Amino acid sequence: MFTDTANYVKELYEVNNQSKFNLYYSDFFNYAYVQATIANGIPSENYHVVLLSDGSASFLFFNNHFNNENADAEYDKMVGKWTQLKKDVAKSRYYGRYTTGVINAYDLQDYSYVIASEEENIEWWLTRISGTLAPNNPDFYSKVENNSKIKVKDLGKLLSAIQNDQSENQYLSIDKLKKLYNFSEGMFEKAVTENKKVMVILGTWTETEIATNFDEYVKSVIAYYGDEYVYYYKGHPRNPTNSVNGKLEHLKSLGLIDVDSTIPAEFIFFFNPEAFCSGYTSSTFDFLTPEKSCAVFGINMTDCNETYKSKIDIFISVAPSKIGNLTNLSNSFLLEFADTTNYDIAIYNANRNNITYYKLDESNNYQEVK
């Protein structure tokens, strides 16, 4: 797809070198913008690029470089590499998905902030920056906050604006959006019929789910929240459930009802504000209220950012073999609670499919309370 786009841009420019291109790319594939423009010899004044946030990955890549005391030095180093890359690509007239060099094509996804900051004709659109970008480096965060090239596009506000628009916009309306995504009003029919709450489990790439104990995370959530809920699965749009052999049947075996993974999760929660959410880390949690943000998978309270600490009820991660006086925790999962009034932690035992709850005593030992 990206190669075809690059070829099309090149062809159009050869036909008319006054052509102006407005390009939008996921920031997970920044190499594709370089492939379509610099590698094709398109002058910068002939194009404008928007790098669209891929979601939580955007924040992860940024913070890996800048959420530390050496952020300014790291930025300068990355600018140097970016400047050299542009020269190399302009000379070689090639930059593909598997290109290696001063910046490998795959690694260019880390450079969204640098690219947008350094290039006059490029913007970086994010769902939010507060609490997600450089949360432990206020000085660098201030630079980001005041950077005119970094645009915050709050999907909730955008949807609300469309919903509240009384001008009968012929191009965009809530009904048109629903039709575009084939949005089903009966998505949560089972929960409605049974008068139960809706819990949506956010998945991720199928290969990541397989590698990261997805089944056990789901079972621990169901064991904790119980039968007051009907459980649904919203997968990553990269892997629609019906495109993965046997996945639908496997989800059913876990007690999950599949919903269309091609529909943005924010749309689902906007049109169904009563729904609750658990799952892998996702920018979707930025969209939700604390009341609706339940459990997050694969991360503990120590390692999470402030966005999650202020919203999530339970942090579920693979338990170490020993936690204080608790030992022999093989095939077990640690549940850490934001509210420790009743218990400090719990252990989900995957072999027995049950949860044991613990409270610290005066000697700092965990005592079973439930």
Side-chain angles (χ1 to χ4, degrees), residues 2 5-6 9 23-26 29-40 42 44 47-51 82 85-86 89 95 108 111-112 115-116 118-122:
F2 295 130
T5 300
V9 168
L23 304 170
Y24 296 79
Y25 288 97
S26 163
F29 302 104
N30 287 337
Y31 81 87
Y33 127 68
V34 177
Q35 182 184 49
T37 57
I38 301 174
N40 278 332
I42 312 295
S44 59
Y47 63 85
H48 180 269
V49 176
V50 173
L51 303 177
W82 167 242
L85 176 70
K86 290 189 293 180
V89 173
Y95 198 67
L108 199 61
Y111 281 70
S112 300
I115 294 171
E118 295 297 316
E119 305 301 320
E120 291 186 5
N121 56 331
I122 298 180

Side-chain angles (χ1 to χ4, degrees), residues 11 19 40 53 77 117 215 218 237 243 276 335 343 349 357:
E11 182 179 344
S19 298
N40 278 332
S53 172
K77 183 175 73 173
S117 298
D215 290 13
V218 170
S243 71
F276 294 81
L335 281 69
Y343 20 77
N349 186 297
Y357 298 83

